[in-house]
Amino acid sequence: MGSIDEHNYALQQTRYFTAEDLEANRKGQYSKTQLDRARESRDYIQQNHGKYENKGWLISLVFGSGLLFFVVVLYFLGVIDMFQNMLGSLFLPVMAGMCIFAALFVFVIAPRSYQSSVDMYKSMGTPLEEQPLPQIQVIEARADVYESSMGLNRRGNSSSHRVSYILQMDSIKFSVTDTLMSTIEKKRLYRVYCSNNGGYWFLHSMETLE
């Protein structure tokens, strides 16, 4: 275990944050670089969210085509005939109920779920003047770092088909870069400066305390 100054210098060399970021975060403030980065991200969302609007019909088309293809495959495999023989007189009522549910999913549930995601994405582009960044919080704990094959999504929940590098401080998890993860020493005591945005914890800077 290296000295405090040496290890803090190594943390900053990962380029996850700078000495200026750390100094501002210690005061409970965001650095100019962090504010500029947040502003650029929100400006990008404002300029690009429109391409995802009014695509409910496309979602319905995709899911509708997928369900239709699935039904055709079941038909040629003889699965539908098998269910008809098993259910007898109940076959038509059951099929009618399944068709109604499928129609609700294709034309109502799927498009609304998609639009909800678009609205959430759009809200992330609210200008800083209208919705300032969340207050910086301080956490002191011994660190645990590991690689997660499940990953973390934007709300801090698990998502498949993605690899994330995780820093865990007590029960709180942060998604970090692989370089920062490899620099952090397990069980070493750290102080992290972070914020909670809608349930997602974001790490801004950190320093070791021993």
Side-chain angles (χ1 to χ4, degrees), residues 87-151:
L87 297 174
S89 60
L90 294 177
F91 177 73
L92 288 180
V94 170
M95 287 299 296
M98 293 179 63
C99 288
I100 291 174
F101 176 78
L104 285 174
F105 178 81
V106 170
F107 296 107
V108 179
I109 298 175
R112 285 187 177 180
S113 178
Y114 172 79
Q115 187 58 45
S116 177
S117 298
V118 172
D119 292 340
M120 182 183 300
Y121 177 71
K122 182 178 179 180
S123 68
M124 293 168 59
T126 305
L128 287 176
E129 293 74 17
E130 299 179 20
Q131 184 178 328
L133 293 174
Q135 181 180 0
I136 290 180
Q137 301 184 45
V138 180
I139 298 175
E140 294 182 5
R142 297 197 176 274
D144 185 21
V145 286
Y146 57 92
E147 182 177 320
S148 171
S149 59
M150 290 297 292

Short mmCIF file of all heavy atoms in Angstrom, two decimals, residues 87-151:
data_model
loop_
_atom_site.label_atom_id
_atom_site.label_comp_id
_atom_site.label_asym_id
_atom_site.label_seq_id
_atom_site.Cartn_x
_atom_site.Cartn_y
_atom_site.Cartn_z
N LEU A 87 -57.29 -28.67 -26.15
CA LEU A 87 -58.29 -27.79 -25.54
C LEU A 87 -59.71 -28.07 -26.00
O LEU A 87 -60.67 -27.72 -25.31
CB LEU A 87 -57.92 -26.33 -25.83
CG LEU A 87 -56.59 -25.85 -25.24
CD1 LEU A 87 -56.27 -24.43 -25.71
CD2 LEU A 87 -56.64 -25.90 -23.71
N GLY A 88 -59.83 -28.64 -27.16
CA GLY A 88 -61.17 -28.94 -27.67
C GLY A 88 -62.01 -27.68 -27.87
O GLY A 88 -61.61 -26.75 -28.56
N SER A 89 -63.18 -27.63 -27.19
CA SER A 89 -64.10 -26.50 -27.36
C SER A 89 -63.56 -25.20 -26.74
O SER A 89 -64.06 -24.12 -27.03
CB SER A 89 -65.46 -26.83 -26.75
OG SER A 89 -65.32 -27.10 -25.35
N LEU A 90 -62.56 -25.34 -25.89
CA LEU A 90 -61.97 -24.14 -25.26
C LEU A 90 -60.93 -23.47 -26.15
O LEU A 90 -60.45 -22.39 -25.82
CB LEU A 90 -61.31 -24.52 -23.93
CG LEU A 90 -62.24 -25.01 -22.81
CD1 LEU A 90 -61.42 -25.41 -21.60
CD2 LEU A 90 -63.24 -23.91 -22.44
N PHE A 91 -60.61 -24.11 -27.27
CA PHE A 91 -59.53 -23.59 -28.11
C PHE A 91 -59.83 -22.18 -28.62
O PHE A 91 -59.00 -21.28 -28.52
CB PHE A 91 -59.31 -24.54 -29.30
CG PHE A 91 -58.27 -24.05 -30.27
CD1 PHE A 91 -56.93 -24.09 -29.93
CD2 PHE A 91 -58.65 -23.52 -31.50
CE1 PHE A 91 -55.97 -23.63 -30.83
CE2 PHE A 91 -57.70 -23.06 -32.39
CZ PHE A 91 -56.35 -23.11 -32.05
N LEU A 92 -61.04 -21.97 -29.16
CA LEU A 92 -61.37 -20.66 -29.73
C LEU A 92 -61.39 -19.55 -28.66
O LEU A 92 -60.83 -18.47 -28.88
CB LEU A 92 -62.70 -20.73 -30.47
CG LEU A 92 -62.68 -21.50 -31.80
CD1 LEU A 92 -64.06 -21.51 -32.44
CD2 LEU A 92 -61.67 -20.87 -32.76
N PRO A 93 -62.03 -19.77 -27.47
CA PRO A 93 -62.00 -18.72 -26.45
C PRO A 93 -60.58 -18.40 -25.98
O PRO A 93 -60.23 -17.23 -25.77
CB PRO A 93 -62.83 -19.31 -25.30
CG PRO A 93 -63.75 -20.28 -25.96
CD PRO A 93 -62.95 -20.86 -27.09
N VAL A 94 -59.76 -19.45 -25.83
CA VAL A 94 -58.38 -19.23 -25.41
C VAL A 94 -57.61 -18.44 -26.47
O VAL A 94 -56.87 -17.50 -26.17
CB VAL A 94 -57.66 -20.57 -25.10
CG1 VAL A 94 -56.17 -20.34 -24.89
CG2 VAL A 94 -58.28 -21.22 -23.88
N MET A 95 -57.78 -18.81 -27.72
CA MET A 95 -57.09 -18.11 -28.81
C MET A 95 -57.56 -16.67 -28.91
O MET A 95 -56.76 -15.76 -29.17
CB MET A 95 -57.35 -18.84 -30.13
CG MET A 95 -56.61 -20.16 -30.26
SD MET A 95 -54.81 -19.94 -30.21
CE MET A 95 -54.54 -18.98 -31.69
N ALA A 96 -58.88 -16.44 -28.68
CA ALA A 96 -59.40 -15.08 -28.74
C ALA A 96 -58.77 -14.22 -27.64
O ALA A 96 -58.38 -13.08 -27.87
CB ALA A 96 -60.92 -15.10 -28.60
N GLY A 97 -58.66 -14.82 -26.43
CA GLY A 97 -58.04 -14.08 -25.33
C GLY A 97 -56.58 -13.77 -25.61
O GLY A 97 -56.10 -12.67 -25.33
N MET A 98 -55.86 -14.74 -26.20
CA MET A 98 -54.46 -14.52 -26.53
C MET A 98 -54.30 -13.46 -27.61
O MET A 98 -53.37 -12.64 -27.56
CB MET A 98 -53.81 -15.84 -26.97
CG MET A 98 -53.71 -16.88 -25.87
SD MET A 98 -52.98 -18.45 -26.42
CE MET A 98 -51.34 -17.90 -26.90
N CYS A 99 -55.20 -13.45 -28.56
CA CYS A 99 -55.15 -12.45 -29.63
C CYS A 99 -55.41 -11.04 -29.08
O CYS A 99 -54.76 -10.07 -29.49
CB CYS A 99 -56.16 -12.78 -30.73
SG CYS A 99 -55.71 -14.21 -31.74
N ILE A 100 -56.37 -10.94 -28.15
CA ILE A 100 -56.67 -9.64 -27.55
C ILE A 100 -55.45 -9.13 -26.75
O ILE A 100 -55.07 -7.96 -26.86
CB ILE A 100 -57.91 -9.75 -26.63
CG1 ILE A 100 -59.16 -9.99 -27.47
CG2 ILE A 100 -58.06 -8.47 -25.80
CD1 ILE A 100 -60.40 -10.25 -26.65
N PHE A 101 -54.84 -10.04 -25.98
CA PHE A 101 -53.66 -9.65 -25.21
C PHE A 101 -52.52 -9.24 -26.14
O PHE A 101 -51.82 -8.26 -25.89
CB PHE A 101 -53.21 -10.80 -24.31
CG PHE A 101 -51.94 -10.50 -23.57
CD1 PHE A 101 -51.95 -9.70 -22.45
CD2 PHE A 101 -50.73 -11.01 -24.03
CE1 PHE A 101 -50.78 -9.41 -21.76
CE2 PHE A 101 -49.55 -10.73 -23.35
CZ PHE A 101 -49.57 -9.92 -22.22
N ALA A 102 -52.32 -10.01 -27.22
CA ALA A 102 -51.26 -9.70 -28.18
C ALA A 102 -51.50 -8.33 -28.80
O ALA A 102 -50.56 -7.54 -28.99
CB ALA A 102 -51.18 -10.78 -29.25
N ALA A 103 -52.77 -8.03 -29.15
CA ALA A 103 -53.09 -6.74 -29.75
C ALA A 103 -52.83 -5.60 -28.77
O ALA A 103 -52.30 -4.54 -29.14
CB ALA A 103 -54.55 -6.74 -30.20
N LEU A 104 -53.21 -5.80 -27.49
CA LEU A 104 -52.95 -4.78 -26.47
C LEU A 104 -51.45 -4.54 -26.32
O LEU A 104 -51.00 -3.40 -26.20
CB LEU A 104 -53.55 -5.21 -25.13
CG LEU A 104 -55.07 -5.10 -25.00
CD1 LEU A 104 -55.52 -5.71 -23.67
CD2 LEU A 104 -55.51 -3.64 -25.08
N PHE A 105 -50.68 -5.63 -26.33
CA PHE A 105 -49.23 -5.49 -26.18
C PHE A 105 -48.63 -4.75 -27.37
O PHE A 105 -47.81 -3.83 -27.19
CB PHE A 105 -48.58 -6.87 -26.05
CG PHE A 105 -47.09 -6.82 -25.93
CD1 PHE A 105 -46.48 -6.54 -24.72
CD2 PHE A 105 -46.29 -7.02 -27.05
CE1 PHE A 105 -45.10 -6.47 -24.61
CE2 PHE A 105 -44.91 -6.96 -26.95
CZ PHE A 105 -44.31 -6.68 -25.73
N VAL A 106 -49.02 -5.13 -28.57
CA VAL A 106 -48.43 -4.56 -29.79
C VAL A 106 -48.83 -3.11 -29.98
O VAL A 106 -47.98 -2.26 -30.32
CB VAL A 106 -48.82 -5.40 -31.02
CG1 VAL A 106 -48.42 -4.69 -32.31
CG2 VAL A 106 -48.18 -6.78 -30.96
N PHE A 107 -50.10 -2.78 -29.74
CA PHE A 107 -50.60 -1.45 -30.08
C PHE A 107 -50.71 -0.49 -28.89
O PHE A 107 -50.89 0.71 -29.10
CB PHE A 107 -51.97 -1.56 -30.77
CG PHE A 107 -51.92 -2.29 -32.08
CD1 PHE A 107 -52.43 -3.57 -32.19
CD2 PHE A 107 -51.32 -1.70 -33.19
CE1 PHE A 107 -52.37 -4.24 -33.40
CE2 PHE A 107 -51.26 -2.38 -34.40
CZ PHE A 107 -51.78 -3.65 -34.51
N VAL A 108 -50.59 -1.01 -27.66
CA VAL A 108 -50.73 -0.13 -26.48
C VAL A 108 -49.52 -0.22 -25.57
O VAL A 108 -48.83 0.77 -25.33
CB VAL A 108 -52.02 -0.49 -25.69
CG1 VAL A 108 -52.13 0.43 -24.47
CG2 VAL A 108 -53.25 -0.34 -26.57
N ILE A 109 -49.24 -1.42 -25.05
CA ILE A 109 -48.21 -1.56 -24.02
C ILE A 109 -46.82 -1.23 -24.55
O ILE A 109 -46.08 -0.42 -23.97
CB ILE A 109 -48.23 -2.99 -23.43
CG1 ILE A 109 -49.58 -3.26 -22.77
CG2 ILE A 109 -47.10 -3.17 -22.43
CD1 ILE A 109 -49.73 -4.68 -22.26
N ALA A 110 -46.43 -1.84 -25.67
CA ALA A 110 -45.09 -1.63 -26.21
C ALA A 110 -44.85 -0.17 -26.62
O ALA A 110 -43.83 0.42 -26.25
CB ALA A 110 -44.84 -2.57 -27.39
N PRO A 111 -45.78 0.46 -27.36
CA PRO A 111 -45.56 1.87 -27.73
C PRO A 111 -45.49 2.80 -26.52
O PRO A 111 -44.68 3.74 -26.49
CB PRO A 111 -46.76 2.20 -28.62
CG PRO A 111 -47.21 0.89 -29.16
CD PRO A 111 -46.96 -0.08 -28.05
N ARG A 112 -46.33 2.55 -25.50
CA ARG A 112 -46.32 3.40 -24.31
C ARG A 112 -45.02 3.23 -23.54
O ARG A 112 -44.46 4.21 -23.01
CB ARG A 112 -47.51 3.08 -23.42
CG ARG A 112 -48.84 3.62 -23.96
CD ARG A 112 -49.96 3.41 -22.96
NE ARG A 112 -51.21 3.99 -23.44
CZ ARG A 112 -52.36 3.95 -22.76
NH1 ARG A 112 -52.39 3.36 -21.56
NH2 ARG A 112 -53.45 4.49 -23.27
N SER A 113 -44.54 2.00 -23.45
CA SER A 113 -43.28 1.75 -22.76
C SER A 113 -42.14 2.45 -23.49
O SER A 113 -41.25 3.05 -22.86
CB SER A 113 -43.02 0.24 -22.68
OG SER A 113 -41.79 -0.02 -22.06
N TYR A 114 -42.16 2.38 -24.80
CA TYR A 114 -41.13 3.06 -25.60
C TYR A 114 -41.19 4.57 -25.40
O TYR A 114 -40.16 5.22 -25.18
CB TYR A 114 -41.32 2.72 -27.08
CG TYR A 114 -40.43 3.52 -28.00
CD1 TYR A 114 -39.09 3.17 -28.18
CD2 TYR A 114 -40.92 4.64 -28.67
CE1 TYR A 114 -38.27 3.91 -29.02
CE2 TYR A 114 -40.11 5.38 -29.51
CZ TYR A 114 -38.79 5.02 -29.67
OH TYR A 114 -37.98 5.76 -30.51
N GLN A 115 -42.40 5.13 -25.43
CA GLN A 115 -42.54 6.58 -25.27
C GLN A 115 -42.11 7.01 -23.88
O GLN A 115 -41.55 8.10 -23.71
CB GLN A 115 -43.99 7.00 -25.53
CG GLN A 115 -44.20 8.50 -25.55
CD GLN A 115 -43.35 9.19 -26.60
OE1 GLN A 115 -43.26 8.73 -27.74
NE2 GLN A 115 -42.71 10.29 -26.22
N SER A 116 -42.37 6.17 -22.88
CA SER A 116 -41.93 6.48 -21.53
C SER A 116 -40.41 6.58 -21.46
O SER A 116 -39.86 7.46 -20.80
CB SER A 116 -42.44 5.41 -20.56
OG SER A 116 -41.97 5.65 -19.25
N SER A 117 -39.74 5.68 -22.17
CA SER A 117 -38.27 5.72 -22.21
C SER A 117 -37.79 6.97 -22.92
O SER A 117 -36.81 7.60 -22.51
CB SER A 117 -37.73 4.47 -22.91
OG SER A 117 -38.09 3.30 -22.21
N VAL A 118 -38.48 7.35 -23.99
CA VAL A 118 -38.11 8.56 -24.73
C VAL A 118 -38.30 9.79 -23.86
O VAL A 118 -37.44 10.69 -23.83
CB VAL A 118 -38.95 8.69 -26.02
CG1 VAL A 118 -38.70 10.05 -26.69
CG2 VAL A 118 -38.61 7.56 -26.98
N ASP A 119 -39.41 9.84 -23.12
CA ASP A 119 -39.66 10.98 -22.24
C ASP A 119 -38.60 11.08 -21.14
O ASP A 119 -38.17 12.18 -20.77
CB ASP A 119 -41.05 10.85 -21.60
CG ASP A 119 -42.17 11.01 -22.62
OD1 ASP A 119 -41.92 11.58 -23.70
OD2 ASP A 119 -43.29 10.57 -22.34
N MET A 120 -38.19 9.93 -20.61
CA MET A 120 -37.14 9.93 -19.59
C MET A 120 -35.84 10.45 -20.18
O MET A 120 -35.13 11.25 -19.56
CB MET A 120 -36.96 8.51 -19.04
CG MET A 120 -35.91 8.42 -17.92
SD MET A 120 -35.66 6.72 -17.37
CE MET A 120 -37.33 6.32 -16.80
N TYR A 121 -35.51 9.98 -21.38
CA TYR A 121 -34.29 10.44 -22.06
C TYR A 121 -34.36 11.94 -22.33
O TYR A 121 -33.38 12.67 -22.12
CB TYR A 121 -34.12 9.67 -23.36
CG TYR A 121 -32.93 10.10 -24.19
CD1 TYR A 121 -31.63 9.80 -23.78
CD2 TYR A 121 -33.10 10.78 -25.39
CE1 TYR A 121 -30.53 10.19 -24.54
CE2 TYR A 121 -32.01 11.17 -26.16
CZ TYR A 121 -30.73 10.87 -25.73
OH TYR A 121 -29.66 11.26 -26.48
N LYS A 122 -35.53 12.40 -22.76
CA LYS A 122 -35.72 13.82 -23.05
C LYS A 122 -35.53 14.67 -21.80
O LYS A 122 -34.94 15.75 -21.84
CB LYS A 122 -37.11 14.05 -23.64
CG LYS A 122 -37.41 15.49 -24.04
CD LYS A 122 -38.80 15.59 -24.64
CE LYS A 122 -39.14 17.03 -25.02
NZ LYS A 122 -40.50 17.11 -25.62
N SER A 123 -36.02 14.19 -20.65
CA SER A 123 -35.91 14.95 -19.40
C SER A 123 -34.46 15.08 -18.96
O SER A 123 -34.09 16.02 -18.25
CB SER A 123 -36.73 14.27 -18.30
OG SER A 123 -36.15 13.02 -17.93
N MET A 124 -33.61 14.15 -19.39
CA MET A 124 -32.19 14.21 -19.05
C MET A 124 -31.49 15.37 -19.77
O MET A 124 -30.36 15.72 -19.42
CB MET A 124 -31.51 12.89 -19.39
CG MET A 124 -31.97 11.72 -18.54
SD MET A 124 -31.42 10.11 -19.18
CE MET A 124 -29.64 10.34 -19.17
N GLY A 125 -32.17 15.95 -20.76
CA GLY A 125 -31.59 17.07 -21.49
C GLY A 125 -32.07 18.42 -21.01
O GLY A 125 -31.82 19.44 -21.67
N THR A 126 -32.76 18.46 -19.87
CA THR A 126 -33.23 19.74 -19.33
C THR A 126 -32.03 20.64 -19.03
O THR A 126 -31.05 20.19 -18.41
CB THR A 126 -34.01 19.51 -18.02
OG1 THR A 126 -35.09 18.59 -18.28
CG2 THR A 126 -34.58 20.82 -17.51
N PRO A 127 -32.04 21.88 -19.47
CA PRO A 127 -30.91 22.79 -19.24
C PRO A 127 -30.56 22.91 -17.76
O PRO A 127 -31.43 22.80 -16.89
CB PRO A 127 -31.41 24.12 -19.81
CG PRO A 127 -32.44 23.75 -20.81
CD PRO A 127 -33.11 22.53 -20.27
N LEU A 128 -29.28 23.12 -17.47
CA LEU A 128 -28.83 23.24 -16.09
C LEU A 128 -29.52 24.37 -15.36
O LEU A 128 -29.72 24.31 -14.15
CB LEU A 128 -27.31 23.45 -16.05
CG LEU A 128 -26.45 22.22 -16.39
CD1 LEU A 128 -24.98 22.62 -16.41
CD2 LEU A 128 -26.68 21.11 -15.40
N GLU A 129 -29.87 25.43 -16.10
CA GLU A 129 -30.54 26.58 -15.47
C GLU A 129 -31.91 26.19 -14.93
O GLU A 129 -32.38 26.76 -13.95
CB GLU A 129 -30.67 27.72 -16.47
CG GLU A 129 -29.35 28.35 -16.90
CD GLU A 129 -28.58 27.47 -17.87
OE1 GLU A 129 -29.19 26.54 -18.46
OE2 GLU A 129 -27.36 27.71 -18.04
N GLU A 130 -32.56 25.25 -15.59
CA GLU A 130 -33.89 24.81 -15.16
C GLU A 130 -33.82 23.65 -14.17
O GLU A 130 -34.69 23.51 -13.30
CB GLU A 130 -34.72 24.39 -16.39
CG GLU A 130 -34.94 25.52 -17.40
CD GLU A 130 -35.74 25.05 -18.59
OE1 GLU A 130 -36.42 24.00 -18.48
OE2 GLU A 130 -35.67 25.71 -19.64
N GLN A 131 -32.83 22.81 -14.31
CA GLN A 131 -32.69 21.65 -13.43
C GLN A 131 -31.21 21.47 -13.09
O GLN A 131 -30.48 20.74 -13.77
CB GLN A 131 -33.23 20.38 -14.09
CG GLN A 131 -33.19 19.16 -13.19
CD GLN A 131 -33.77 17.93 -13.88
OE1 GLN A 131 -34.68 18.04 -14.70
NE2 GLN A 131 -33.26 16.77 -13.56
N PRO A 132 -30.74 22.10 -12.02
CA PRO A 132 -29.32 22.01 -11.64
C PRO A 132 -28.92 20.57 -11.32
O PRO A 132 -29.77 19.72 -11.04
CB PRO A 132 -29.22 22.91 -10.40
CG PRO A 132 -30.42 23.80 -10.48
CD PRO A 132 -31.50 22.99 -11.12
N LEU A 133 -27.63 20.32 -11.35
CA LEU A 133 -27.13 19.01 -10.99
C LEU A 133 -27.43 18.72 -9.51
O LEU A 133 -27.49 19.66 -8.70
CB LEU A 133 -25.61 18.95 -11.22
CG LEU A 133 -25.16 19.03 -12.69
CD1 LEU A 133 -23.64 19.11 -12.77
CD2 LEU A 133 -25.68 17.85 -13.48
N PRO A 134 -27.62 17.46 -9.16
CA PRO A 134 -27.93 17.12 -7.76
C PRO A 134 -26.78 17.49 -6.83
O PRO A 134 -25.63 17.61 -7.24
CB PRO A 134 -28.17 15.62 -7.80
CG PRO A 134 -27.47 15.15 -9.03
CD PRO A 134 -27.58 16.26 -10.02
N GLN A 135 -27.11 17.66 -5.57
CA GLN A 135 -26.13 18.05 -4.56
C GLN A 135 -25.06 16.96 -4.40
O GLN A 135 -25.35 15.77 -4.41
CB GLN A 135 -26.83 18.29 -3.22
CG GLN A 135 -25.90 18.73 -2.10
CD GLN A 135 -26.66 18.96 -0.80
OE1 GLN A 135 -27.88 18.79 -0.74
NE2 GLN A 135 -25.95 19.35 0.24
N ILE A 136 -23.84 17.41 -4.25
CA ILE A 136 -22.74 16.48 -4.05
C ILE A 136 -22.79 15.90 -2.63
O ILE A 136 -22.96 16.63 -1.66
CB ILE A 136 -21.38 17.16 -4.29
CG1 ILE A 136 -21.23 17.46 -5.79
CG2 ILE A 136 -20.22 16.29 -3.81
CD1 ILE A 136 -19.94 18.14 -6.15
N GLN A 137 -22.65 14.59 -2.54
CA GLN A 137 -22.66 13.90 -1.25
C GLN A 137 -21.29 13.26 -1.01
O GLN A 137 -20.55 12.98 -1.95
CB GLN A 137 -23.76 12.83 -1.22
CG GLN A 137 -25.15 13.40 -1.46
CD GLN A 137 -26.23 12.36 -1.32
OE1 GLN A 137 -26.22 11.55 -0.39
NE2 GLN A 137 -27.18 12.35 -2.24
N VAL A 138 -20.99 13.04 0.25
CA VAL A 138 -19.70 12.47 0.64
C VAL A 138 -19.92 11.14 1.33
O VAL A 138 -20.76 11.02 2.22
CB VAL A 138 -18.93 13.42 1.58
CG1 VAL A 138 -17.59 12.81 1.97
CG2 VAL A 138 -18.73 14.79 0.92
N ILE A 139 -19.17 10.12 0.91
CA ILE A 139 -19.26 8.79 1.50
C ILE A 139 -17.85 8.33 1.86
O ILE A 139 -16.94 8.41 1.04
CB ILE A 139 -19.91 7.79 0.53
CG1 ILE A 139 -21.34 8.21 0.20
CG2 ILE A 139 -19.89 6.38 1.13
CD1 ILE A 139 -21.99 7.34 -0.85
N GLU A 140 -17.68 7.85 3.06
CA GLU A 140 -16.41 7.30 3.50
C GLU A 140 -16.62 5.83 3.85
O GLU A 140 -17.47 5.49 4.68
CB GLU A 140 -15.87 8.06 4.71
CG GLU A 140 -15.50 9.51 4.41
CD GLU A 140 -14.92 10.22 5.63
OE1 GLU A 140 -14.72 9.55 6.66
OE2 GLU A 140 -14.69 11.44 5.54
N ALA A 141 -15.85 4.97 3.21
CA ALA A 141 -15.98 3.53 3.45
C ALA A 141 -14.81 2.80 2.82
O ALA A 141 -14.06 3.38 2.03
CB ALA A 141 -17.29 3.01 2.88
N ARG A 142 -14.66 1.54 3.20
CA ARG A 142 -13.64 0.71 2.58
C ARG A 142 -14.17 0.18 1.25
O ARG A 142 -15.33 -0.21 1.14
CB ARG A 142 -13.22 -0.42 3.51
CG ARG A 142 -12.59 0.12 4.79
CD ARG A 142 -11.79 -0.91 5.55
NE ARG A 142 -11.16 -0.26 6.71
CZ ARG A 142 -9.99 0.37 6.66
NH1 ARG A 142 -9.32 0.41 5.52
NH2 ARG A 142 -9.48 0.94 7.75
N ALA A 143 -13.30 0.20 0.27
CA ALA A 143 -13.74 -0.06 -1.10
C ALA A 143 -13.71 -1.54 -1.46
O ALA A 143 -12.89 -2.31 -0.96
CB ALA A 143 -12.86 0.72 -2.08
N ASP A 144 -14.62 -1.88 -2.34
CA ASP A 144 -14.58 -3.17 -3.01
C ASP A 144 -14.76 -2.90 -4.49
O ASP A 144 -15.61 -2.09 -4.88
CB ASP A 144 -15.70 -4.09 -2.50
CG ASP A 144 -15.60 -5.49 -3.10
OD1 ASP A 144 -14.49 -5.86 -3.55
OD2 ASP A 144 -16.61 -6.20 -3.12
N VAL A 145 -13.96 -3.52 -5.33
CA VAL A 145 -14.06 -3.31 -6.78
C VAL A 145 -14.13 -4.67 -7.47
O VAL A 145 -13.50 -5.63 -7.04
CB VAL A 145 -12.86 -2.50 -7.33
CG1 VAL A 145 -12.96 -1.04 -6.95
CG2 VAL A 145 -11.53 -3.07 -6.84
N TYR A 146 -14.92 -4.74 -8.52
CA TYR A 146 -15.05 -5.98 -9.26
C TYR A 146 -15.66 -5.71 -10.62
O TYR A 146 -16.22 -4.63 -10.88
CB TYR A 146 -15.92 -6.98 -8.49
CG TYR A 146 -17.31 -6.48 -8.15
CD1 TYR A 146 -18.39 -6.71 -9.00
CD2 TYR A 146 -17.54 -5.78 -6.97
CE1 TYR A 146 -19.66 -6.26 -8.69
CE2 TYR A 146 -18.81 -5.33 -6.66
CZ TYR A 146 -19.87 -5.56 -7.51
OH TYR A 146 -21.12 -5.09 -7.20
N GLU A 147 -15.54 -6.69 -11.48
CA GLU A 147 -16.11 -6.60 -12.82
C GLU A 147 -17.44 -7.34 -12.83
O GLU A 147 -17.54 -8.46 -12.32
CB GLU A 147 -15.14 -7.22 -13.83
CG GLU A 147 -15.62 -7.15 -15.27
CD GLU A 147 -14.60 -7.71 -16.24
OE1 GLU A 147 -13.39 -7.44 -16.03
OE2 GLU A 147 -15.00 -8.42 -17.18
N SER A 148 -18.45 -6.72 -13.41
CA SER A 148 -19.78 -7.32 -13.46
C SER A 148 -20.15 -7.61 -14.91
O SER A 148 -20.17 -6.70 -15.74
CB SER A 148 -20.82 -6.38 -12.83
OG SER A 148 -22.13 -6.87 -13.06
N SER A 149 -20.45 -8.86 -15.21
CA SER A 149 -20.86 -9.23 -16.57
C SER A 149 -22.29 -8.78 -16.86
O SER A 149 -22.70 -8.71 -18.01
CB SER A 149 -20.75 -10.74 -16.77
OG SER A 149 -21.56 -11.43 -15.83
N MET A 150 -23.05 -8.46 -15.81
CA MET A 150 -24.41 -7.98 -15.99
C MET A 150 -24.44 -6.50 -16.29
O MET A 150 -25.32 -6.01 -16.98
CB MET A 150 -25.24 -8.25 -14.73
CG MET A 150 -25.54 -9.72 -14.50
SD MET A 150 -26.54 -10.43 -15.82
CE MET A 150 -28.08 -9.56 -15.54
N GLY A 151 -23.47 -5.76 -15.75
CA GLY A 151 -23.45 -4.33 -16.00
C GLY A 151 -24.45 -3.57 -15.17
O GLY A 151 -25.26 -4.14 -14.45
#
